[in-house]
Amino acid sequence: MFASCLWGALIFTLHVALRLLLSYHGWLLEPHGGMSSPTKTWLALVRIFSGRHPMLFSYQRSLPRQPVPSVQDTVRKYLESVRPVLSDEDFDWTAGLAQEFLKLQASLLQWYLQLKSWWASNYVSDWWEEFVYLRSRNSLMVNSNYYMMDFLYVTPTPVQAARAGNAVHALLLYRHRLDRQEILPTLLMGMRPLCSAQYEKIFNTTRIPGVHRDHIRHLRDSRHVAVFHRGRFFRVGTHSQSRLLSPRALEQQFQRILDDSSPACPHEEHLAALTAAPRDTWAQVRRSLKTQAQEALEAVEGAAFFVSLDSEPAGLTREDPAASLDAYAHALLAGRGHDRWFDKSFSLVVFSNGKLGLSVEHSWADCPISGHMWEFTLATECFQLGYSADGHCKGHPDPSLPQPQRLHWDLPDKIHLSISLALRAAKTLSGNIDCHVFPFSHFGKSFIKRCHLSSDSFIQTALQLAHFRDRGQFCLTYESTMTRLFLEGRTETVRSCTREACNFVRAMEDKEKTDAQCLALFRLAVDKHQALLKAAMSGQGVDRHLFALYIVSQFLHLQSPFLDQVHSEQWQLATSQIPVQQIHLFDVHNYPDYVSSGGGFGPADDHGYGVSYMFMGDDVITFHISSKKSSTRTDSRRLGQRIQDALLDVATLFPEGQHLKRRGLGEEDSG
């Protein structure tokens, strides 16, 4: 007993020591390329206390909790962030509301948040999941989901069933490694571990609709995938005698589905449109469906993930590269409105020409988690599993495998109308989304590094210039960054439209300003963005704190005009960078085309843009832009051209970029 107690005390002491070490954020403030002696000492201690071979969840009990910032600091930062986009009169009014809030409600609401932070794993993440995602009654399609693309320039095989077989096998290999915690924890800059909690719900997970709120259903295991093809649903087993089916056996099963000529039953073809309907509508219809077609519904919702074998080709074409990429993005984000099961944690989409893609439900986790899985999948199915010379999966078919099980839906008459209405609404929503994707190849991350600047801050500041040229005004800008330095951390907002960025944009539009003056202002804007990014990552952001204060005020029925105004803000420019997390899986020098091209999401505002970007290797940046066709103020292709021009104009401010387009040339000269 003494030995056991001593061992337990030792383990507890190690966890406490590591938690104290991981609470240090001084390394974030280090200049790029430099490291102080205290940070080097801290890094050595972290490595000692972390052990030699940490597993995926090894750090979870040692991660610090996300701190609650000072309410005075948060309000000050908020007022600073809205100053560039408000008139003097509006800003004075907002500042008055803020001062009234600090005097009357702030201390009480802050006390409740502090109290929650003492007993909850994270003071904001559970409310963020519930009130932003699960309580939202809007359609998941476009409004909540996001997509991830295949390789941009290559398709390893044109055989649809073979690509599906390798991809599904690779995904299940990832799940196997996940279950055994063989996936290494993510270390930021190779030093600081990030929270791994979101990995738990990648597979075997479905968002179940409710009348007032949804809930996430996660199973410990699932031995099948649900497959959709030409309006029919199938259940495909993934294991035989407790062993994972080979890629060739999976290809055989998918080929059987493709060769099956049986027609879809009445209304079955458009059944999945219900998952794109408003959540309360889908919840009511699902009750009838669960009674009449429980077995089929359970097969879909209990699957490891959803697979859609699309009947159309997708991807880049030489005939019309721009239009083909736009259509590819649209197909992944919205599809036809009835060929994705939007409730599943993710749907694997395999097009008829072998192109791949993911459609991901957002509530269970954020993009870096699914991005990590997607990188492993693409690298494994292409480089590790590979294909034979005729384009099929390696190995031999298994004739003894039973046929895929066709799912039969006994659809009651009363839901036929609901399916028709859901399909009509889904097609309207799908038809309204405007997607534009383009690879920017004039320069990339290597050029920005030569300029000794942060790649993300470089792009964010250039986006301010592009958006101003597009709309003629500044707007609140949302950039998502992670707070996974803390236990169960999710995201925080970086408000990229700063006073420094606006000063730079005005200088670029002023013909009297020299390149040297513009460059100096650009560096100030980049430095400001870096400071905001580091503050957000270290738990000192603005938006999640104000969001949590607003939720407390609603619980207490305490009205705050200031928090109401903050809650009602619209983000006309929503942005995000998709990070490459496992560069070692890809040989970007010998195989530069075998790199994922990132993904995108829908706009956060009816009159706004959604912009995501990904650095493909060292010399290409892929941009994904979305907007709504119903808006007369936005145009995704127009903004895409503005972004290209802005990046080139910024690059020419540097000596390294003098060979590129000069500042001030028109669109016709951009090359």
Side-chain angles (χ1 to χ4, degrees), residues 23 94 106 139 184 278 283 288 298 305 337 351 365 402 451 477 503 509 522 526 630 649:
S23 299
T94 301
S139 167
L184 296 177
S288 300
E298 178 61 29
F305 50 90
F351 295 94
C451 298
T477 303
N503 290 340
E509 298 301 277
F522 181 76
V526 167
S630 57
D649 285 348

Side-chain angles (χ1 to χ4, degrees), residues 162-207:
R163 194 80 197 279
N166 260 8
V168 169
H169 187 85
L171 285 165
L172 294 173
L173 285 178
Y174 187 88
R175 186 180 69 170
H176 179 72
R177 295 184 62 181
L178 186 63
D179 292 341
R180 295 169 62 90
Q181 292 194 49
E182 294 176 351
I183 296 173
L184 296 177
T186 303
L187 300 177
L188 192 64
M189 301 175 65
M191 297 187 292
R192 176 60 162 81
L194 303 183
C195 179
S196 300
Q198 295 179 54
Y199 284 92
E200 296 178 1
K201 296 178 182 177
I202 295 181
F203 298 94
N204 326 324
T205 299
T206 303
R207 176 169 168 173

Side-chain angles (χ1 to χ4, degrees), residues 594-616:
Y594 286 84
V595 180
S596 173
S597 49
F601 51 88
D605 182 71
D606 287 342
H607 299 287
Y609 291 106
V611 179
S612 69
Y613 48 95
M614 184 175 190
F615 293 95
M616 294 175 56

Side-chain angles (χ1 to χ4, degrees), residues 128-129 133 144 146 196-202 205 216 345 360-371 484 489-491:
W128 185 255
E129 178 182 291
Y133 295 114
S144 180
Y146 58 92
S196 300
Q198 295 179 54
Y199 284 92
E200 296 178 1
K201 296 178 182 177
I202 295 181
T205 299
I216 297 176
S345 54
V360 188
E361 202 279 311
H362 207 160
S363 64
W364 60 274
D366 300 308
C367 182
I369 305 302
S370 53
R484 289 169 57 209
R490 290 202 59 163
T491 60

Side-chain angles (χ1 to χ4, degrees), residues 148-150 162-180 182-183 199 201-204 221-227 238-239 244-247 250 254 303-309 344-350 355-360 364 369-382 384-385 387 393 582 585:
M148 307 201 76
M149 278 187 172
D150 193 1
R163 194 80 197 279
N166 260 8
V168 169
H169 187 85
L171 285 165
L172 294 173
L173 285 178
Y174 187 88
R175 186 180 69 170
H176 179 72
R177 295 184 62 181
L178 186 63
D179 292 341
R180 295 169 62 90
E182 294 176 351
I183 296 173
Y199 284 92
K201 296 178 182 177
I202 295 181
F203 298 94
N204 326 324
D221 194 18
S222 176
R223 297 301 180 98
H224 73 277
V225 293
V227 182
T238 56
H239 291 70
L244 178 61
L245 291 182
S246 69
L250 287 168
F254 292 126
F305 50 90
F306 193 76
V307 180
S308 179
L309 299 176
K344 291 300 294 181
S345 54
F346 69 90
S347 296
L348 173 68
V349 184
V350 188
K355 214 66 183 173
L356 286 180
L358 282 188
S359 174
V360 188
W364 60 274
I369 305 302
S370 53
H372 190 279
M373 174 194 71
W374 192 232
E375 289 173 4
F376 176 91
T377 301
L378 291 178
T380 300
E381 67 94 12
C382 184
Q384 301 298 322
L385 301 177
Y387 299 91
C393 297
Q582 304 169 91
L585 295 178

Side-chain angles (χ1 to χ4, degrees), residues 196-384:
S196 300
Q198 295 179 54
Y199 284 92
E200 296 178 1
K201 296 178 182 177
I202 295 181
F203 298 94
N204 326 324
T205 299
T206 303
R207 176 169 168 173
I208 305 298
V211 175
H212 300 294
R213 71 179 294 273
D214 298 351
H215 71 274
I216 297 176
R217 179 192 178 201
H218 173 68
L219 304 178
R220 294 189 61 184
D221 194 18
S222 176
R223 297 301 180 98
H224 73 277
V225 293
V227 182
F228 179 88
H229 175 59
R230 288 200 301 109
R232 304 156 306 157
F233 293 82
F234 296 85
R235 182 187 188 277
V236 175
T238 56
H239 291 70
S240 177
Q241 298 178 348
S242 299
R243 295 184 61 184
L244 178 61
L245 291 182
S246 69
R248 189 66 179 88
L250 287 168
E251 177 191 345
Q252 169 186 308
Q253 297 297 75
F254 292 126
Q255 190 61 53
R256 286 173 171 177
I257 292 174
L258 294 172
D259 294 339
D260 188 336
S261 60
S262 60
C265 297
H267 300 284
E268 178 189 15
E269 179 181 1
H270 301 140
L271 176 65
L274 290 169
T275 65
R279 303 305 289 171
D280 48 358
T281 300
W282 170 215
Q284 294 170 356
V285 176
R286 184 179 173 276
R287 291 176 180 175
S288 300
L289 199 61
K290 190 174 182 181
T291 302
Q292 300 292 120
Q294 183 175 2
E295 183 178 349
L297 183 64
E298 178 61 29
V300 174
E301 294 183 342
F305 50 90
F306 193 76
V307 180
S308 179
L309 299 176
D310 204 292
S311 301
E312 299 293 330
L316 182 67
T317 63
R318 293 182 179 180
E319 295 76 20
D320 194 345
S324 62
L325 281 181
D326 296 352
Y328 182 22
H330 187 276
L332 291 175
L333 182 62
R336 300 176 185 84
H338 64 85
D339 49 359
R340 315 278 185 265
W341 199 269
F342 290 102
D343 290 355
K344 291 300 294 181
S345 54
F346 69 90
S347 296
L348 173 68
V349 184
V350 188
F351 295 94
S352 62
N353 60 344
K355 214 66 183 173
L356 286 180
L358 282 188
S359 174
V360 188
E361 202 279 311
H362 207 160
S363 64
W364 60 274
D366 300 308
C367 182
I369 305 302
S370 53
H372 190 279
M373 174 194 71
W374 192 232
E375 289 173 4
F376 176 91
T377 301
L378 291 178
T380 300
E381 67 94 12
C382 184
F383 299 122
Q384 301 298 322

Side-chain angles (χ1 to χ4, degrees), residues 56-57 59-60 63-64 122 185-186 192-199 369 482-490:
L56 179 61
F57 299 113
Y59 294 104
Q60 291 303 103
L63 290 173
N122 190 290
T186 303
R192 176 60 162 81
L194 303 183
C195 179
S196 300
Q198 295 179 54
Y199 284 92
I369 305 302
M482 61 86 190
T483 54
R484 289 169 57 209
L485 293 172
F486 307 101
L487 182 62
E488 296 186 11
R490 290 202 59 163

